[in-house]
CSV table of all heavy atoms in Angstrom, one decimal:
chain,number,residue,atom,x,y,z
A,1,ASP,N,24.5,22.1,23.9
A,1,ASP,CA,23.1,22.1,23.5
A,1,ASP,C,23.0,22.1,22.0
A,1,ASP,O,24.0,22.1,21.3
A,1,ASP,CB,22.5,23.4,24.1
A,1,ASP,CG,20.9,23.2,24.3
A,1,ASP,OD1,20.4,22.2,23.8
A,1,ASP,OD2,20.3,24.0,25.0
A,2,PHE,N,21.8,22.2,21.5
A,2,PHE,CA,21.6,22.2,20.0
A,2,PHE,C,20.6,23.3,19.6
A,2,PHE,O,19.8,23.8,20.4
A,2,PHE,CB,21.1,20.8,19.6
A,2,PHE,CG,19.7,20.5,20.0
A,2,PHE,CD1,18.6,20.7,19.2
A,2,PHE,CD2,19.4,20.0,21.3
A,2,PHE,CE1,17.3,20.4,19.6
A,2,PHE,CE2,18.1,19.7,21.7
A,2,PHE,CZ,17.1,19.9,20.9
A,3,GLU,N,20.6,23.5,18.3
A,3,GLU,CA,19.7,24.5,17.7
A,3,GLU,C,18.9,23.8,16.6
A,3,GLU,O,19.5,23.0,15.8
A,3,GLU,CB,20.4,25.7,17.1
A,3,GLU,CG,21.2,26.5,18.2
A,3,GLU,CD,22.1,27.5,17.5
A,3,GLU,OE1,22.2,27.6,16.3
A,3,GLU,OE2,22.8,28.3,18.2
A,4,VAL,N,17.6,24.0,16.6
A,4,VAL,CA,16.8,23.4,15.5
A,4,VAL,C,16.9,24.4,14.3
A,4,VAL,O,16.5,25.5,14.4
A,4,VAL,CB,15.3,23.3,15.9
A,4,VAL,CG1,14.5,22.9,14.7
A,4,VAL,CG2,15.2,22.2,17.0
A,5,ASP,N,17.6,23.9,13.2
A,5,ASP,CA,17.8,24.8,12.1
A,5,ASP,C,16.6,24.8,11.2
A,5,ASP,O,16.3,25.9,10.6
A,5,ASP,CB,19.1,24.2,11.3
A,5,ASP,CG,19.5,25.1,10.2
A,5,ASP,OD1,19.8,26.3,10.4
A,5,ASP,OD2,19.5,24.6,9.1
A,6,ARG,N,16.0,23.7,11.0
A,6,ARG,CA,14.8,23.7,10.1
A,6,ARG,C,13.9,22.5,10.6
A,6,ARG,O,14.4,21.5,10.9
A,6,ARG,CB,15.2,23.5,8.7
A,6,ARG,CG,14.1,23.8,7.7
A,6,ARG,CD,14.4,23.5,6.2
A,6,ARG,NE,15.6,24.2,5.7
A,6,ARG,CZ,15.9,24.3,4.5
A,6,ARG,NH1,15.1,23.7,3.5
A,6,ARG,NH2,17.0,25.0,4.1
A,7,GLU,N,12.6,22.7,10.5
A,7,GLU,CA,11.7,21.6,10.9
A,7,GLU,C,10.6,21.5,9.8
A,7,GLU,O,10.0,22.4,9.3
A,7,GLU,CB,11.0,22.0,12.2
A,7,GLU,CG,9.9,21.1,12.7
A,7,GLU,CD,9.1,21.6,13.9
A,7,GLU,OE1,9.6,22.5,14.6
A,7,GLU,OE2,8.0,21.1,14.1
A,8,ILE,N,10.5,20.3,9.4
A,8,ILE,CA,9.5,19.9,8.3
A,8,ILE,C,8.5,18.9,9.0
A,8,ILE,O,8.9,17.8,9.3
A,8,ILE,CB,10.1,19.3,7.1
A,8,ILE,CG1,11.1,20.3,6.5
A,8,ILE,CG2,9.1,19.0,6.0
A,8,ILE,CD1,12.0,19.8,5.4
A,9,GLU,N,7.3,19.3,9.1
A,9,GLU,CA,6.3,18.4,9.7
A,9,GLU,C,6.0,17.2,8.8
A,9,GLU,O,5.9,17.3,7.5
A,9,GLU,CB,4.9,19.2,9.9
A,9,GLU,CG,3.9,18.4,10.7
A,9,GLU,CD,2.7,19.3,11.0
A,9,GLU,OE1,2.6,20.4,10.5
A,9,GLU,OE2,1.8,18.8,11.8
A,10,GLY,N,5.9,16.0,9.4
A,10,GLY,CA,5.6,14.8,8.7
A,10,GLY,C,4.2,14.9,8.0
A,10,GLY,O,3.4,15.7,8.4
A,11,ASP,N,3.9,13.9,7.1
A,11,ASP,CA,2.6,13.8,6.5
A,11,ASP,C,1.5,13.6,7.4
A,11,ASP,O,1.7,12.7,8.3
A,11,ASP,CB,2.7,12.7,5.4
A,11,ASP,CG,3.5,13.1,4.2
A,11,ASP,OD1,3.6,14.3,3.9
A,11,ASP,OD2,4.0,12.1,3.5
A,12,SER,N,0.4,14.3,7.2
A,12,SER,CA,-0.8,14.0,8.0
A,12,SER,C,-1.5,12.9,7.1
A,12,SER,O,-1.2,12.6,6.0
A,12,SER,CB,-1.7,15.2,8.1
A,12,SER,OG,-2.2,15.6,6.8
A,13,ILE,N,-2.5,12.3,7.8
A,13,ILE,CA,-3.4,11.3,7.1
A,13,ILE,C,-4.1,12.0,5.9
A,13,ILE,O,-4.2,11.3,4.8
A,13,ILE,CB,-4.4,10.7,8.0
A,13,ILE,CG1,-3.6,9.9,9.1
A,13,ILE,CG2,-5.4,9.9,7.3
A,13,ILE,CD1,-4.5,9.4,10.2
A,14,ALA,N,-4.5,13.2,6.0
A,14,ALA,CA,-5.1,13.9,4.9
A,14,ALA,C,-4.1,14.0,3.7
A,14,ALA,O,-4.5,13.9,2.6
A,14,ALA,CB,-5.6,15.3,5.3
A,15,ASP,N,-2.8,14.3,4.1
A,15,ASP,CA,-1.8,14.5,3.1
A,15,ASP,C,-1.7,13.2,2.2
A,15,ASP,O,-1.7,13.2,1.0
A,15,ASP,CB,-0.4,14.8,3.7
A,15,ASP,CG,-0.4,16.2,4.3
A,15,ASP,OD1,-1.1,17.1,3.8
A,15,ASP,OD2,0.4,16.4,5.2
A,16,VAL,N,-1.5,12.0,2.9
A,16,VAL,CA,-1.2,10.8,2.2
A,16,VAL,C,-2.5,10.4,1.4
A,16,VAL,O,-2.4,9.8,0.3
A,16,VAL,CB,-0.7,9.7,3.1
A,16,VAL,CG1,0.6,10.0,3.7
A,16,VAL,CG2,-1.7,9.3,4.2
A,17,LEU,N,-3.7,10.6,1.9
A,17,LEU,CA,-4.9,10.3,1.2
A,17,LEU,C,-4.9,11.1,-0.1
A,17,LEU,O,-5.3,10.6,-1.2
A,17,LEU,CB,-6.1,10.6,2.0
A,17,LEU,CG,-6.4,9.6,3.1
A,17,LEU,CD1,-7.6,10.0,4.0
A,17,LEU,CD2,-6.6,8.2,2.6
A,18,SER,N,-4.5,12.4,-0.1
A,18,SER,CA,-4.5,13.2,-1.3
A,18,SER,C,-3.5,12.7,-2.3
A,18,SER,O,-3.7,12.8,-3.5
A,18,SER,CB,-4.2,14.6,-0.9
A,18,SER,OG,-2.9,14.8,-0.5
A,19,TYR,N,-2.4,12.0,-1.8
A,19,TYR,CA,-1.4,11.5,-2.7
A,19,TYR,C,-1.9,10.4,-3.6
A,19,TYR,O,-1.4,10.1,-4.7
A,19,TYR,CB,-0.1,11.0,-2.0
A,19,TYR,CG,0.6,12.0,-1.1
A,19,TYR,CD1,1.4,11.6,-0.1
A,19,TYR,CD2,0.5,13.4,-1.5
A,19,TYR,CE1,2.0,12.6,0.7
A,19,TYR,CE2,1.2,14.3,-0.6
A,19,TYR,CZ,2.0,13.9,0.4
A,19,TYR,OH,2.6,14.8,1.2
A,20,VAL,N,-2.9,9.6,-3.0
A,20,VAL,CA,-3.5,8.5,-3.8
A,20,VAL,C,-4.9,8.8,-4.3
A,20,VAL,O,-5.8,8.0,-4.3
A,20,VAL,CB,-3.5,7.2,-2.9
A,20,VAL,CG1,-2.1,6.7,-2.8
A,20,VAL,CG2,-4.1,7.5,-1.5
A,21,GLU,N,-5.1,10.1,-4.5
A,21,GLU,CA,-6.2,10.6,-5.3
A,21,GLU,C,-7.6,10.7,-4.5
A,21,GLU,O,-8.6,10.9,-5.1
A,21,GLU,CB,-6.5,9.8,-6.6
A,21,GLU,CG,-5.3,9.8,-7.5
A,21,GLU,CD,-5.5,8.9,-8.7
A,21,GLU,OE1,-6.6,8.4,-8.9
A,21,GLU,OE2,-4.5,8.7,-9.5
A,22,TYR,N,-7.5,10.7,-3.1
A,22,TYR,CA,-8.6,11.0,-2.4
A,22,TYR,C,-8.7,12.5,-2.1
A,22,TYR,O,-7.6,13.2,-2.0
A,22,TYR,CB,-8.6,10.3,-1.0
A,22,TYR,CG,-8.7,8.8,-1.0
A,22,TYR,CD1,-7.6,8.0,-1.2
A,22,TYR,CD2,-10.0,8.2,-0.9
A,22,TYR,CE1,-7.7,6.6,-1.2
A,22,TYR,CE2,-10.1,6.8,-0.9
A,22,TYR,CZ,-9.0,6.0,-1.1
A,22,TYR,OH,-9.1,4.7,-1.1
A,23,ASP,N,-9.9,13.1,-2.1
A,23,ASP,CA,-10.1,14.4,-1.7
A,23,ASP,C,-10.4,14.4,-0.2
A,23,ASP,O,-11.5,14.0,0.2
A,23,ASP,CB,-11.2,15.1,-2.5
A,23,ASP,CG,-11.4,16.5,-2.1
A,23,ASP,OD1,-11.0,17.0,-1.1
A,23,ASP,OD2,-12.1,17.3,-2.9
A,24,PRO,N,-9.5,14.9,0.7
A,24,PRO,CA,-9.8,14.9,2.2
A,24,PRO,C,-11.2,15.5,2.5
A,24,PRO,O,-11.9,15.0,3.4
A,24,PRO,CB,-8.7,15.6,2.8
A,24,PRO,CG,-7.5,15.4,1.8
A,24,PRO,CD,-8.2,15.5,0.4
A,25,LYS,N,-11.5,16.6,1.8
A,25,LYS,CA,-12.8,17.2,2.2
A,25,LYS,C,-14.0,16.3,1.8
A,25,LYS,O,-15.0,16.2,2.5
A,25,LYS,CB,-12.9,18.6,1.3
A,25,LYS,CG,-12.0,19.6,1.9
A,25,LYS,CD,-12.2,20.9,1.2
A,25,LYS,CE,-11.3,22.1,1.7
A,25,LYS,NZ,-11.6,23.3,1.0
A,26,GLN,N,-13.9,15.6,0.6
A,26,GLN,CA,-14.9,14.7,0.3
A,26,GLN,C,-14.9,13.5,1.2
A,26,GLN,O,-16.0,13.0,1.5
A,26,GLN,CB,-14.7,14.2,-1.2
A,26,GLN,CG,-15.8,13.4,-1.8
A,26,GLN,CD,-15.5,13.0,-3.2
A,26,GLN,OE1,-14.6,12.2,-3.4
A,26,GLN,NE2,-16.3,13.4,-4.1
A,27,VAL,N,-13.8,13.0,1.6
A,27,VAL,CA,-13.7,11.9,2.6
A,27,VAL,C,-14.5,12.3,3.8
A,27,VAL,O,-15.3,11.5,4.4
A,27,VAL,CB,-12.3,11.5,2.9
A,27,VAL,CG1,-12.2,10.6,4.1
A,27,VAL,CG2,-11.6,10.9,1.7
A,28,SER,N,-14.2,13.5,4.4
A,28,SER,CA,-14.9,14.0,5.6
A,28,SER,C,-16.4,14.1,5.3
A,28,SER,O,-17.2,13.7,6.2
A,28,SER,CB,-14.3,15.3,6.0
A,28,SER,OG,-14.9,15.8,7.1
A,29,SER,N,-16.8,14.7,4.2
A,29,SER,CA,-18.2,14.9,3.9
A,29,SER,C,-18.9,13.5,3.8
A,29,SER,O,-20.0,13.3,4.4
A,29,SER,CB,-18.3,15.6,2.6
A,29,SER,OG,-19.7,15.7,2.2
A,30,ARG,N,-18.3,12.5,3.2
A,30,ARG,CA,-18.9,11.2,3.1
A,30,ARG,C,-19.1,10.6,4.5
A,30,ARG,O,-20.1,10.0,4.8
A,30,ARG,CB,-18.0,10.3,2.3
A,30,ARG,CG,-18.1,10.5,0.8
A,30,ARG,CD,-17.1,9.6,0.1
A,30,ARG,NE,-17.2,9.7,-1.4
A,30,ARG,CZ,-17.9,8.8,-2.1
A,30,ARG,NH1,-18.6,7.8,-1.5
A,30,ARG,NH2,-18.0,8.9,-3.4
A,31,PHE,N,-18.1,10.7,5.4
A,31,PHE,CA,-18.2,10.2,6.8
A,31,PHE,C,-19.3,10.9,7.5
A,31,PHE,O,-20.1,10.3,8.3
A,31,PHE,CB,-16.9,10.3,7.5
A,31,PHE,CG,-16.9,9.7,8.9
A,31,PHE,CD1,-16.9,8.3,9.0
A,31,PHE,CD2,-17.0,10.5,10.0
A,31,PHE,CE1,-17.0,7.7,10.3
A,31,PHE,CE2,-17.0,9.9,11.2
A,31,PHE,CZ,-17.0,8.5,11.4
A,32,ARG,N,-19.4,12.2,7.4
A,32,ARG,CA,-20.4,13.0,8.1
A,32,ARG,C,-21.8,12.5,7.7
A,32,ARG,O,-22.7,12.4,8.5
A,32,ARG,CB,-20.2,14.5,7.8
A,32,ARG,CG,-19.1,15.1,8.6
A,32,ARG,CD,-18.9,16.6,8.1
A,32,ARG,NE,-17.8,17.3,8.8
A,32,ARG,CZ,-17.9,18.0,9.9
A,32,ARG,NH1,-19.2,18.2,10.3
A,32,ARG,NH2,-16.9,18.6,10.4
A,33,ALA,N,-21.9,12.2,6.4
A,33,ALA,CA,-23.2,11.7,5.9
A,33,ALA,C,-23.6,10.4,6.6
A,33,ALA,O,-24.8,10.2,6.9
A,33,ALA,CB,-23.2,11.6,4.4
A,34,SER,N,-22.6,9.5,6.7
A,34,SER,CA,-22.9,8.2,7.4
A,34,SER,C,-23.2,8.4,8.8
A,34,SER,O,-24.1,7.7,9.3
A,34,SER,CB,-21.5,7.4,7.3
A,34,SER,OG,-21.2,7.1,5.9
A,35,VAL,N,-22.6,9.4,9.5
A,35,VAL,CA,-22.9,9.6,10.9
A,35,VAL,C,-24.3,10.2,11.0
A,35,VAL,O,-25.1,9.9,11.9
A,35,VAL,CB,-21.8,10.5,11.5
A,35,VAL,CG1,-22.2,10.9,13.0
A,35,VAL,CG2,-20.4,9.9,11.5
């Protein structure tokens, strides 16, 4: 059998948007306004 020694969660879409200078909260707010 095996043991999980360490787990690192992959990037979320919010993570990668923040890497390219988007603010995920602002993105969400803009979409809510459109809806």
Side-chain angles (χ1 to χ4, degrees):
D1 206 347
F2 69 96
E3 300 171 355
V4 173
D5 184 57
R6 193 185 303 195
E7 175 188 343
I8 303 171
E9 188 175 7
D11 286 332
S12 69
I13 293 171
D15 290 332
V16 298
L17 287 174
S18 68
Y19 300 156
V20 289
E21 301 178 7
Y22 292 89
D23 181 343
K25 290 184 178 180
Q26 187 180 65
V27 168
S28 180
S29 177
R30 284 172 173 267
F31 182 75
R32 285 172 179 266
S34 296
V35 178

